[in-house]
Amino acid sequence: MKKEEVDFLIIGSGVAGLRAAIELAPYGNVLVVTKDRPAESSTEYAQGGIAVALSDEDEVGIHFEDTLRAGDGLCREDAVKVLVEEGPERILELISWGAEFDKEGTKLDFTMEAAHSRKRVLHAHGDSTGKELERVLLNKVRSFPSVRKYPFAFTVDLIVRDGTCCGAYILKGKEIVALFAKATILATGGAGQIFSRTTNPAVTTGDGMAIAFRAGAVLEDCEFIQFHPTVLFAPSAPQFLLSEAMRGEGAILRDVSKKAFMREHHPDAELAPRDIVSRAILSQMAATKSSYVYLDLTHLDGAFIKKRFPRIYATCLQYDVNIINDLIPVCPAAHYMMGGIKTDLDGASGLMGLFAAGEVACTGVHGANRLASNSLLEGLVFGARAGRAAAAFGSVTARHGEGESGRFDGKDIIRHEPAQLALFDREEIRHALRKLMWKRVGIIRCDKSLSEAKDKLDKWDFIHNEIFMTRRDLELKNMLLVAQLVTRASLLRKGSVGAHYRSDFPDKGDNWNKHIILKKSGHEPVHDFIQ
Ligand code: SIN
């Protein structure tokens, strides 16, 4: 097996991974590994914007309170404090690197989104905020000769020796490479693809969470999946996100009989928290026996809509929906995972040498429900922190590859037998898993639906023993593991908090203010409820 050594290994090239790379660049050589092209990440597709307390009418204290309220009592306050206090500096720095946020005259233009009590959300090119961030961060990364990118390389597993993460096994083409590093940062994003309806791009298969769990790291808050209320539901159209900013600008939700219904469900109507809007849509869909409701912008100024949401306007037109004149059919979809690899405020996981930042991590900053547009900010703030912490860790650590070569043979990762399952079986399982998760572990859950999902998922346990050698198959293995962990945590939380709603336990229930952690131990993971 080929071996390589770097000082710092970053897996993932969205906002958190790139921001970490920038922080690490002065301290050694940095390799950013990504399974697709570098820009292919959830960051690239983020529309609405990035929340930051920078407007004249705002204060970090108000951003702090709004984040806590959305998190429904489960945010870790120290993490939220870091986010809102360091956020403005990270944004100003980004602007100094060339980020072009939209302006009203000479001033930054802040928009409104659900559960914010101030106009706080910066946006770029109308509805392409993530793309702008990715552009600026990739440009900045290019300016450091110490940072290299390794695209189309899938991380199979972490290398762990004597309780320390020493790098990762990477599948590059048909070959596995052992990449040794002083410190490794996981920034692989979320796991939306475990659901058949998701706003997430195809790359979000929970890889970072799965490989960290297999390596012995602790996962936390896995039951908290945020569902986005408004995702395009049109024949032959992709599951395209229709930004919450559209409701922030006055769009109205109507059922198929054209009735506006949100006021019946919450005083904040269209701008109620996402979980409430998603459940309201489901109940309206059931009442009207329809698979969708409508998002209505027809009362708003057409020229303004085209300017404010150019990408959404153009994309919907491709599928014969003119958002200026037509009611837009929408249905909720899985959007964001609040849980992930448990880390401290500097991204350190419990596993020495392993750091995590962004959606893959769980600092507790989002609690049980993320405040809209806090995730890009999280990537910037905690990506930079993880980079700094990894640099400090690296400065006192010998390069792990040295001295390892003798006893390293890679037998634990390579097997030359072909996969036991036929290709169509593997694809059938992927398809069935995604449908199962959407139907049984989706917006509304109960013991019956979750137990059924658990039993079905467990029947595919044999997949964990396959040693696959293609990205798609390895993704399936990770999706299965993350789906099992999400289902397990959802069964354990016998109560409804934030985005986790149990129809059999509509109240918060006992232990509601504790976090559920899961750790590998033999066949079944062990769990605990912690503060
Ligand atoms: C959106 O534009 O609605 C998504 C923003 C977010 O999830 O934070």
Side-chain angles (χ1 to χ4, degrees):
M1 181 185 291
K2 205 168 141 198
K3 291 166 210 154
E4 278 182 37
E5 288 186 2
V6 291
D7 291 319
F8 303 105
L9 174 62
I10 298 175
I11 303 167
S13 56
V15 56
L18 295 178
R19 187 59 192 80
I22 292 165
E23 207 65 25
L24 278 167
Y27 299 97
N29 55 65
V30 183
L31 186 61
V32 181
V33 166
T34 173
K35 69 177 176 179
D36 211 288
R37 63 187 180 95
E40 190 62 24
S41 65
S42 292
T43 299
E44 175 79 1
Y45 297 95
Q47 295 177 359
I50 184 160
V52 65
L54 269 177
S55 82
D56 297 342
E57 61 173 38
D58 206 359
E59 290 167 25
V60 292
I62 308 175
H63 190 185
F64 177 79
E65 292 300 331
D66 287 351
T67 302
L68 292 191
R69 207 171 25 256
D72 207 7
L74 271 165
C75 291
R76 290 215 166 82
E77 294 196 7
D78 51 358
V80 179
K81 201 163 176 299
V82 164
L83 178 83
V84 298
E85 286 182 354
E86 294 181 13
E89 194 185 330
R90 291 285 79 82
I91 294 292
L92 294 175
E93 168 186 79
L94 206 65
I95 293 173
S96 76
W97 295 342
E100 290 177 11
F101 292 111
D102 295 335
K103 291 188 172 159
E104 190 65 54
T106 54
K107 283 186 150 186
L108 289 169
D109 184 31
F110 295 89
T111 196
M112 193 68 164
E113 282 188 3
H116 288 270
S117 60
R118 294 287 186 281
K119 284 187 163 191
R120 175 180 295 137
V121 180
L122 284 175
H123 43 94
H125 312 293
D127 51 7
S128 295
T129 316
K131 205 177 174 65
E132 177 65 1
L133 255 67
E134 193 73 18
R135 178 189 75 77
V136 172
L137 291 170
L138 276 170
N139 269 346
K140 185 73 185 167
V141 160
R142 274 185 213 111
S143 71
F144 296 105
S146 56
V147 183
R148 265 189 313 138
K149 292 193 280 304
Y150 213 169
F152 301 103
F154 190 91
T155 303
V156 180
D157 264 315
L158 297 171
I159 304 173
V160 181
R161 296 287 181 266
D162 305 326
T164 299
C165 174
C166 328
Y169 299 109
I170 310 288
L171 180 68
K172 183 89 177 123
K174 289 191 165 45
E175 191 186 20
I176 300 246
V177 179
L179 268 168
F180 289 97
K182 291 179 184 173
T184 302
I185 300 181
L186 286 171
T188 50
Q193 287 295 325
I194 65 171
F195 295 93
S196 57
R197 276 197 64 76
T198 180
T199 61
N200 292 190
V203 289
T204 57
T205 48
D207 305 321
M209 294 157 194
I211 63 174
F213 182 83
R214 284 198 293 270
V218 170
L219 263 57
E220 181 177 52
D221 288 348
C222 290
E223 67 278 30
F224 295 125
I225 306 285
Q226 184 172 79
F227 295 89
H228 198 290
T230 53
V231 180
L232 184 61
F233 189 88
S236 76
Q239 296 176 21
F240 181 68
L241 178 72
L242 297 169
S243 177
E244 188 150 296
M246 298 172 92
R247 280 173 283 131
E249 300 291 358
I252 295 171
L253 283 162
R254 299 186 184 279
D255 66 19
V256 283
S257 67
K258 318 269 169 75
K259 186 181 93 171
F261 57 86
M262 270 316 300
R263 276 227 184 271
E264 291 163 21
H265 295 268
H266 195 277
D268 291 339
E270 272 71 13
L271 291 183
R274 283 182 185 173
D275 59 306
I276 292 173
V277 181
S278 292
R279 286 198 299 278
I281 291 176
L282 282 200
S283 78
Q284 219 68 25
M285 278 163 46
T288 55
K289 296 194 174 47
S290 169
S291 315
Y292 54 86
V293 295
Y294 291 121
L295 189 66
D296 179 8
L297 285 83
T298 56
H299 54 291
L300 301 176
D301 177 60
F304 168 74
I305 294 302
K306 271 194 206 174
K307 181 161 176 276
R308 180 68 183 83
F309 302 109
R311 189 173 176 184
I312 296 176
Y313 174 69
T315 305
C316 289
L317 270 186
Q318 283 174 32
Y319 300 98
D320 293 327
V321 179
N322 182 336
I323 65 170
I324 292 171
N325 304 324
D326 303 334
L327 297 180
I328 316 166
V330 295
C331 168
H335 184 56
Y336 188 89
M337 184 150 165
M338 271 68 76
I341 303 162
K342 179 170 172 48
T343 69
D344 67 13
L345 299 181
D346 293 314
S349 73
L351 183 62
M352 196 118 78
L354 181 68
F355 299 79
E359 189 173 349
V360 72
C362 180
T363 56
V365 74
H366 304 304
N369 208 0
R370 179 178 60 91
L371 183 68
S373 290
N374 262 356
S375 47
L376 291 175
L377 193 68
E378 175 197 21
L380 285 179
V381 168
F382 289 98
R385 283 186 152 245
R388 273 199 297 281
F393 182 83
S395 71
V396 294
T397 314
R399 196 174 291 193
H400 289 296
E402 288 160 11
E404 273 299 332
S405 318
R407 67 195 179 93
F408 174 76
D409 57 16
K411 273 201 190 114
D412 50 350
I413 197 81
I414 287 195
R415 198 172 69 189
H416 289 289
E417 298 146 33
Q420 300 298 301
L421 277 173
L423 173 64
F424 67 81
D425 287 329
R426 291 172 342 239
E427 288 303 327
E428 272 177 16
I429 292 174
R430 190 181 182 117
H431 173 73
L433 180 150
R434 299 179 72 232
K435 275 180 77 169
L436 177 71
M437 291 300 288
W438 175 248
K439 285 202 164 136
R440 300 284 173 254
V441 195
I443 299 170
I444 298 178
R445 307 152 171 187
C446 65
D447 188 72
K448 188 164 174 285
S449 74
L450 293 166
S451 302
E452 190 184 318
K454 181 182 181 316
D455 291 348
K456 288 206 170 136
L457 292 167
D458 288 352
K459 288 208 175 91
W460 295 319
D461 257 343
F462 63 92
I463 298 244
H464 295 309
N465 299 323
E466 294 270 349
I467 295 193
F468 291 132
M469 290 292 280
T470 67
R471 163 179 161 179
R472 195 151 171 93
D473 290 343
L474 289 158
E475 284 178 345
L476 173 63
K477 196 186 237 190
N478 292 340
M479 288 165 72
L480 174 61
L481 179 53
V482 175
Q484 287 176 310
L485 296 172
V486 169
T487 306
R488 187 172 181 84
S490 304
L491 270 164
L492 286 166
R493 185 169 291 281
K494 298 188 192 313
S496 296
V497 189
H500 171 75
Y501 185 80
R502 292 265 312 236
S503 55
D504 49 349
F505 294 105
D507 298 328
K508 287 191 164 176
D510 297 339
N511 274 336
W512 74 267
N513 55 354
K514 301 257 173 73
H515 298 264
I516 297 174
I517 53 168
L518 297 168
K519 190 167 190 305
K520 187 175 151 189
S521 163
H523 179 67
E524 292 277 311
V526 285
H527 73 265
D528 203 356
F529 289 84
I530 63 160
Q531 280 301 337

